[in-house]
Amino acid sequence: MPAPTPLPALILGAGAAGLMCAAHAGPGAVVIDHMDRPGEKIRISGGGRCNFTNMYAGPQNFLSANPHFAKSALSRYTQWDFVYLMGRHGVTWHEKTLGQLFCDEKSERVIRLLLDEVAAAQAEVWLKTEVREIRHADGRFVVDLIRDGQPLTVTTRALVVASGGKSIPKIGATGLGYRIAEQFGHALTDTRPGLVPLTFGDSFSDLAGVACPARLSCNGTSFDEALLFTHRGLSGPAILQISNFWHEGEDVSVRLCPDLDFLSSLKEERQRAGRRDLETVLAGLLPKRLAAQVVRDSGLKGRLADLSDAALAPLLDRLTDWHLRPTGTEGYRKAEVTLGGVDTAGLSSRSMESRSVPGLHFIGEVVDVTGWLGGYNFQWAWSSGWAAGTAI
Ligand code: FDA
């Protein structure tokens, strides 16, 4: 049988990073995916409106064992490059908050944009295609695939692993990228769920549904965003953000309503209407159920006029430095990203190419680079996908 014609590049995973890479890898490149639709995570992202980047994205918004690794790709393909690409395709957007840019239309519009770019670059997308085995000899990768149920072997000098992390297996996540990294002798850093709700047993079930602005702190990092109480524990943007910095057995500190000076507000109320009950007064500053819980936990009761500043101390403590110890996270089923992954020490930060296996690249979430909540993870997918695609 004649040897199959080598592909200029084979990209494993038609998600955000893989499609971006295919759009720059040149004619004849092929991006495969085992799902029957490309870009499933883009589709469900940002509540269906894809938070595709962040105006303020920079290396400071990413976690990695090597905080310098992401700098090169992020500075060569920036958020403004993607914004320009959106403009070129007539896709409009808006800033929601904190520099987070969302599509005006549904997230599908971003998938269409990427597929149009892939088609314009004369690259191909093969769906319902699985990887069976990868061999490597004479500088070439020989990859056994199952495409639409039929076996098919392809060869290539450039193999790009863009198969994402472990989060949300229901929509396609597998451990393929980590297995390939191990096969080729690449080290992996520890992986764990990121941007994920934290669990607290049933401690907050009475407060389920209550939301409140808060400052969440852990390991020297703080985020001011919304906090949401759920039946399982805590969620909302503030918790998702801090979950990236939390490790099992550690506390997180919560300051409710960080823009509010509780002591001054309570003193004013004491002057104005000291005969009112403490819980009623606090319910004017916090959601009612949360006010009741905080007052109960502080052990205080009675009229505000009867409580001196010193007597209010336990309440103020609970409002401004509430130490909570999560029992765990809601896991990969709910995590938006996977922290950790392919160790960047084995990769070129310029091309995402393996330092030990020429032609092998790792891009996107499979790499040990994880962004904060707010469009940063897609920016990493665009930047790293572009860096590998243009280097092939
Ligand atoms: P991605 O997961 O996108 O793609 C990997 C592809 O590889 C998938 O298509 C998968 O099917 C395929 N694949 C996996 N295993 C395979 C195998 N064995 N064979 C063949 N194909 C295989 N980020 C952000 O910046 N803004 C946002 O608004 C959101 N919102 C959001 C919501 C939710 C619910 C989640 C779960 C995640 C987000 N994210 C996000 C994170 C963002 O979706 C994520 O970081 C990127 O999609 C990562 O891009 P990748 O291309 O690396 O992986």
Side-chain angles (χ1 to χ4, degrees):
M1 211 168 56
T5 316
L7 299 174
L10 177 66
I11 302 154
L12 309 179
L19 292 172
M20 190 64 171
C21 180
H24 291 91
V30 169
V31 55
I32 68 139
D33 206 290
H34 64 151
M35 300 293 278
D36 56 5
R37 294 196 295 190
E40 276 299 276
K41 276 202 188 148
I42 301 174
R43 195 183 311 279
I44 62 165
S45 67
R49 301 270 170 192
C50 187
N51 176 195
F52 59 89
T53 193
N54 193 294
M55 286 161 66
Y56 308 116
Q60 69 282 359
N61 308 113
F62 294 85
L63 290 89
S64 170
N66 176 2
H68 303 293
F69 182 80
K71 284 181 179 171
S72 171
L74 290 173
S75 67
R76 287 184 303 130
Y77 190 91
T78 70
Q79 55 273 45
W80 305 115
D81 290 313
F82 199 83
V83 166
Y84 174 78
L85 179 65
M86 297 272 286
R88 204 154 57 67
H89 286 257
V91 188
T92 54
W93 49 270
H94 58 278
E95 181 193 357
K96 205 165 178 184
T97 176
L98 303 169
Q100 300 168 6
L101 304 188
F102 285 76
C103 274
D104 290 344
E105 296 170 64
K106 291 203 164 149
S107 305
E108 271 93 354
R109 189 65 191 84
V110 175
I111 303 174
R112 209 160 77 230
L113 173 161
L114 292 166
L115 291 175
D116 287 348
E117 284 286 298
V118 171
Q122 296 171 40
E124 287 180 39
V125 183
W126 296 353
L127 299 173
K128 293 197 234 163
T129 304
E130 291 185 23
V131 179
R132 274 295 153 96
E133 199 186 330
I134 302 172
R135 296 178 298 282
H136 186 229
D138 303 329
R140 284 193 184 183
F141 300 90
V142 181
V143 185
D144 293 336
L145 302 170
I146 301 285
R147 186 181 179 196
D148 264 331
Q150 298 300 316
L152 170 72
T153 297
V154 296
T155 65
T156 182
R157 284 194 184 280
L159 183 68
V160 184
V161 182
S163 52
K166 299 180 183 178
S167 22
I168 327 260
K170 206 171 64 186
I171 57 160
T174 70
L176 177 70
Y178 308 112
R179 284 201 300 278
I180 297 174
E182 281 175 339
Q183 176 184 343
F184 288 98
H186 274 266
L188 298 173
T189 63
D190 288 344
T191 50
R192 60 192 169 92
L195 302 181
V196 63
L198 298 177
T199 54
F200 290 85
D202 59 1
S203 321
F204 299 123
S205 45
D206 289 352
L207 293 175
V210 170
C212 175
R215 174 172 304 146
L216 271 285
S217 307
C218 186
N219 287 315
T221 304
S222 298
F223 291 95
D224 285 15
E225 289 197 55
L227 172 69
L228 175 69
F229 292 84
T230 71
H231 284 287
R232 290 164 177 271
L234 294 176
S235 188
I239 281 288
L240 300 188
Q241 294 282 29
I242 211 66
S243 71
N244 275 359
F245 296 84
W246 176 80
H247 300 88
E248 228 169 291
E250 294 175 347
D251 283 359
V252 294
S253 156
V254 181
R255 195 220 189 284
L256 296 169
C257 302
D259 294 334
L260 199 66
D261 179 343
F262 281 107
L263 181 58
S264 300
S265 301
L266 291 172
K267 278 173 156 178
E268 263 172 43
E269 280 302 299
R270 194 164 50 201
Q271 290 284 336
R272 216 177 52 83
R275 288 164 62 179
R276 289 172 78 206
D277 172 71
L278 175 62
E279 187 179 318
T280 313
V281 172
L282 201 61
L285 304 174
L286 289 178
K288 206 169 163 205
R289 274 190 285 156
L290 181 56
Q293 170 94 36
V294 170
V295 170
R296 222 172 17 252
D297 291 351
S298 73
L300 300 178
K301 48 168 90 110
R303 298 184 327 160
L304 191 54
D306 300 333
L307 295 163
S308 67
D309 290 1
L312 287 172
L315 179 80
L316 291 167
D317 239 32
R318 174 49 63 96
L319 291 167
T320 59
D321 191 18
W322 187 4
H323 280 254
L324 294 167
R325 178 156 303 179
T327 53
T329 75
E330 288 203 31
Y332 289 116
R333 204 174 49 86
K334 284 286 177 75
E336 287 202 7
V337 288
T338 302
L339 287 152
V342 177
D343 191 340
T344 59
L347 304 177
S348 152
S349 62
R350 206 176 158 73
S351 61
M352 305 291 132
E353 189 173 11
S354 162
R355 291 188 185 285
S356 48
V357 185
L360 179 64
H361 298 70
F362 292 89
I363 58 174
E365 198 179 316
V366 73
V367 178
D368 171 29
V369 173
T370 308
W372 295 359
L373 184 79
Y376 302 103
N377 285 294
F378 278 136
Q379 186 57 46
W380 171 243
W382 315 139
S383 298
S384 60
W386 176 91
T390 51
I392 286 166

